[in-house]
Amino acid sequence: MHPSPQWLIWFGWKRPFLRAQLISLAVAGLLATICPNLGERFFARFQSRCSRLASRPWFCPSLLFCSTLLVALLFGLRRQPVPAVHDEFSYLLAGRTFYARHLANPAPPAWPSLQTFHEILSPAYQSKYPPMQGVFLALGLVFGRAIVGVWISAALAVCSLYWMLAGWISRSSAFAMAVLVLAVTANSYWAQSFWGGMLAFAGGSLVYGALPRILQEKPWFGWPMLSAGLLLLANSRPYEGLLVSLPVLFRLAWAALHGKFSPAASQVAKAHRAPFVSALTLLAAGFAWMGFYNFTVTGSPWQMPYMLYTRQFDPSPIFRFQTPRPFPAYLIPAMAEFYHGVEHATYLEQMVSFHACETNAFLLLSLGRLLLGPALLLLVLLSPLGAPTRKTRILGCALALFVVWFAAGGSWWFQFQTGLEVWISVLVLIAALLCWTAPELLIPVAGSLAVLAGVYLSIWQFPHYAAPMAAPFLLLCAAGLRVWWRSPWGRPVLRWMGLGMLVSLGVALAITPRPRSPVALFGRRRARIARLLAQQPRKQLVFVSYGPFHNLNTEWVFNRPAPASAQVVWAHKLDTQRNRQLVAAYPDRQVWLLCADFNPPALRPYPASCHYPSLLAPSCPWAKDFPINRLWQASSFAPRSP
């Protein structure tokens, strides 16, 4: 995940919705400069009505839940999401397993030929990932499609965000912020793919929303929600969830040790006793279920499926301070190439500290763009200009410029000074944040820094890995936007900007195309072939053969929870003896050979062979991502390219 130096040039400009946001920001700034009082009466009336709606306790969450569900559904009808990435198929395996009312599946017959990425086949057949995303996918299958569960998790995340913000700022401001986040995230991959992210977002929001309610003597609104948030984080993103929760837990422990809940304050202690016990019971029951789930999948309540899969297939370290383990003997060539090449190369690259710092800054800005869009993120980065003191303005602007410069590829300057940029990053972050933020925001600052430090130590970084950090990050963004709102020249900008984002949301609903990336095209192509095979009268067995320049991100071999009873079974083509064993293990099936790297992919009756011409020299660095075009087509019902 090494960002390009041209990243800021294309910062959202290729996507219609983000492009519309940037245009609306320019129009808002122009209108606020030329005629700042334009629309004053309309916005005042609209703000008063929103304040009256926000005074109703249950109206705003219900409205946000239904609105998020509707907007995500409309975007889903436009995008028609299908699984394409390794992780998505793994999460779907968990969802289908839970939908069948099982925690895990027995090892399938002849399972070595069915090995694939991010799935455990022995001692049980299940996904390696934490189970909460699979639970919501199973909920979606109850309504007919797994993606519905993702939309429900998005609606839950937006409601949790409103509930959290209402504990820190006014309800009307919390409602406005939640609407803006809804308008941006409903079309993001967190809400329109099976990768996840929304559940960890919701868990972090519950944890940070519980803190002010517990400290404000509302224990029944705080302690149970704190337990629910911790369980959501533990079953979606446990590592980052633990890091983002530590400042909240330390703050509560500090309050308990300094007399906030001590027996001396008998009334306070009595009011908190029953909610605390109920929350502790819920937490204990949740962790007991997690131990039972681990035991069902791995045979040990203390070993998570992720750890078992790492021991079986992935020798590359998860963290920078670990050392690589010996490579196991891989049976599947694609898996051997992935873990020998991609995983190990990423580990070596991230061990160079300036690459890791650059990726960290890139991740921070990517998270801001995903949650707020580029226009609001730009306003947040410029919010130190409205700070009360000159020192704060200088440090805040230095922080913003430093992060943007690092994300844009400026860390090349540190290539020959390894380690220096780490200390500069830490000093600039701590100095600027401590001078810029109010004392009540030190907890979200600490949570954000904890997650960034944890992400810096890890090898792989994607925006949904930092989803637990979304809650404290949005708290800080709300503080930055509040600086604009309090200034006479910033309030018109925010008003017109908010209106422009709602208009751009409607535009995006009308013009958003289906994804056209190579991985998305592969997902639709695989779904089409699977649908054609499922329509055949007999059960099917498909051997998959890859070419010499196969794209490792396009894996075909993913199966249903019970392959023996499934209509279609996908398997790797290995040596003749193992292929015969697999055919014998799945009798009475029509057997096919899929030439996966033909364009379009070709199905042939088995036994057959795929002759891949060597069109590109292996020394070409881009050979694996280059499509092999216009090869001969030899299939009875091979699909056309979409």
Side-chain angles (χ1 to χ4, degrees):
M1 187 184 168
H2 183 66
S4 168
Q6 300 294 324
W7 177 75
L8 281 182
I9 299 177
W10 301 104
F11 184 55
W13 193 252
K14 288 186 175 182
R15 301 186 181 185
F17 178 50
L18 302 182
R19 183 164 60 240
Q21 284 189 42
L22 292 173
I23 294 174
S24 64
L25 176 61
V27 173
L30 184 63
L31 290 175
T33 304
I34 298 176
C35 42
N37 296 325
L38 180 63
E40 182 73 24
R41 185 177 303 176
F42 166 76
F43 285 116
R45 190 182 304 114
F46 181 76
Q47 184 178 351
S48 64
R49 290 184 180 179
C50 289
S51 299
R52 287 198 298 269
L53 291 178
S55 62
R56 304 178 184 178
W58 295 103
F59 180 79
C60 285
S62 303
L63 180 61
L64 288 171
F65 186 89
C66 297
S67 302
T68 307
L69 207 57
L70 177 61
V71 174
L73 171 64
L74 294 176
F75 274 119
L77 294 177
R78 295 283 305 178
R79 296 168 61 104
Q80 300 181 14
V82 293
V85 185
H86 305 160
D87 309 58
E88 296 183 278
F89 289 103
S90 181
Y91 281 122
L92 275 174
L93 172 64
R96 289 165 177 159
T97 301
F98 297 148
Y99 178 69
R101 301 179 183 179
H102 300 293
L103 290 180
N105 309 283
W111 61 264
S113 297
L114 309 183
Q115 291 180 18
T116 187
F117 296 98
H118 310 321
E119 291 183 3
I120 301 169
L121 286 99
S122 178
Y125 182 33
Q126 182 56 293
S127 168
K128 76 169 187 177
Y129 291 113
M132 191 54 67
Q133 179 72 8
V135 170
F136 273 78
L137 293 179
L139 177 62
L141 289 172
V142 172
F143 293 98
R145 294 188 61 186
I147 194 64
V148 178
V150 180
W151 299 338
I152 294 174
S153 68
L156 177 64
V158 173
C159 292
S160 303
L161 172 66
Y162 166 76
W163 184 79
M164 177 202 69
L165 292 173
W168 294 80
I169 58 180
S170 66
R171 288 184 178 179
S172 58
S173 301
F175 181 73
M177 191 74 177
V179 170
L180 294 178
V181 173
L182 181 161
V184 179
T185 57
N187 193 28
S188 67
Y189 81 94
W190 286 13
Q192 298 299 333
S193 73
F194 304 91
W195 254 8
M198 286 297 184
L199 292 175
F201 180 12
S205 299
L206 292 178
V207 169
Y208 276 79
L211 176 63
R213 288 168 174 85
I214 293 175
L215 298 179
Q216 294 168 8
E217 309 302 337
K218 298 177 181 178
W220 281 109
F221 289 95
W223 290 111
M225 289 298 183
L226 177 64
S227 294
L230 291 174
L231 288 177
L232 270 178
L233 292 172
N235 288 279
S236 55
R237 301 296 314 174
Y239 170 62
E240 297 86 355
L242 173 64
L243 294 176
V244 82
S245 303
L246 285 178
V248 175
L249 299 178
F250 283 148
R251 178 66 181 89
L252 292 175
W254 179 274
L257 293 175
H258 287 74
K260 183 70 176 178
F261 312 126
S262 63
S266 57
Q267 297 298 325
V268 174
K270 186 180 295 184
H272 282 267
R273 187 177 300 124
F276 178 76
V277 171
S278 64
L280 203 60
T281 304
L282 176 63
L283 205 60
F287 280 105
W289 182 88
M290 291 171 58
F292 180 70
Y293 175 76
N294 293 340
F295 176 78
T296 305
V297 178
T298 66
S300 170
W302 313 110
Q303 186 178 40
M304 299 175 64
Y306 195 100
M307 299 164 57
L308 177 62
Y309 181 87
T310 301
R311 292 180 181 178
Q312 290 179 348
F313 296 110
D314 191 357
S316 297
I318 301 176
F319 300 105
R320 289 162 52 87
F321 53 82
Q322 294 177 322
T323 56
R325 297 182 302 277
F327 285 97
Y330 292 102
L331 184 64
I332 309 301
M335 297 183 68
E337 188 174 357
F338 182 82
Y339 289 112
H340 277 276
V342 177
E343 287 263 351
H344 195 65
T346 303
Y347 163 72
L348 295 177
E349 180 182 2
Q350 290 300 315
M351 287 303 293
V352 181
S353 57
F354 78 88
H355 280 304
C357 286
E358 180 178 352
T359 304
N360 217 333
F362 179 77
L363 177 69
L364 181 63
L365 292 187
S366 297
L367 184 67
R369 191 189 73 168
L370 189 144
L371 294 171
L372 294 174
L376 282 180
L377 180 61
L378 184 60
L379 292 180
V380 170
L381 290 174
L382 295 177
S383 60
L385 293 175
T389 63
R390 182 180 179 183
K391 179 179 67 174
T392 308
R393 287 194 295 269
I394 293 175
L395 287 175
C397 292
L399 169 66
L401 292 175
F402 186 79
V403 171
V404 171
W405 176 63
F406 239 92
S411 60
W412 63 268
W413 188 78
F414 296 111
Q415 292 185 40
F416 307 105
Q417 305 177 46
T418 303
L420 177 62
E421 80 287 350
V422 179
W423 296 107
I424 294 180
S425 303
V426 171
L427 291 176
V428 171
L429 281 170
I430 293 177
L433 288 174
L434 289 181
C435 293
W436 181 21
T437 59
E440 63 270 12
L441 292 179
L442 289 181
I443 299 300
V445 167
S448 301
L449 290 179
V451 175
L452 287 177
V455 169
Y456 173 80
L457 292 176
S458 61
I459 300 299
W460 289 90
Q461 295 102 7
F462 290 99
H464 62 279
Y465 289 9
M469 175 186 152
F473 178 78
L474 287 174
L475 270 176
L476 299 178
C477 291
L481 293 177
R482 186 169 53 186
V483 173
W484 284 88
W485 184 257
R486 289 176 177 174
S487 64
W489 49 273
R491 183 169 299 190
V493 173
L494 280 182
R495 284 174 171 174
W496 286 105
M497 182 64 226
L499 182 61
M501 287 186 65
L502 295 180
V503 172
S504 60
L505 175 62
V507 173
L509 285 171
I511 66 174
T512 295
R514 297 182 70 181
R516 301 292 298 177
S517 65
V519 175
L521 292 176
F522 155 75
R524 292 201 290 271
R525 186 172 290 181
R526 185 189 184 279
R528 187 180 303 174
I529 292 182
R531 190 164 52 249
L532 289 171
L533 290 170
Q535 294 171 357
Q536 303 303 306
R538 293 179 57 188
K539 291 184 176 181
Q540 311 291 314
L541 173 61
V542 183
F543 285 102
V544 180
S545 174
Y546 296 130
F549 306 118
H550 171 63
N551 186 346
L552 297 175
N553 292 320
T554 57
E555 176 59 53
W556 288 77
V557 180
F558 290 100
N559 288 288
R560 297 274 176 164
S565 59
Q567 177 68 18
V568 183
V569 174
W570 304 83
H572 292 279
K573 183 186 177 185
L574 303 175
D575 57 88
T576 305
Q577 181 181 358
R578 291 188 182 275
N579 294 342
R580 289 175 179 173
Q581 292 176 355
L582 187 69
V583 173
Y586 296 90
D588 302 325
R589 290 178 180 265
Q590 188 175 5
V591 186
W592 298 91
L593 175 67
L594 175 68
C595 301
D597 287 334
F598 284 179
N599 191 16
L603 273 171
R604 293 175 150 192
Y606 183 83
S609 60
C610 301
H611 300 285
Y612 292 103
S614 300
L615 298 182
L616 298 175
S619 59
C620 295
W622 39 268
K624 294 184 182 298
D625 296 327
F626 191 82
I628 302 177
N629 294 321
R630 290 183 172 83
L631 295 181
W632 50 275
Q633 178 181 356
S635 168
S636 57
F637 55 94
R640 295 289 178 182
S641 299

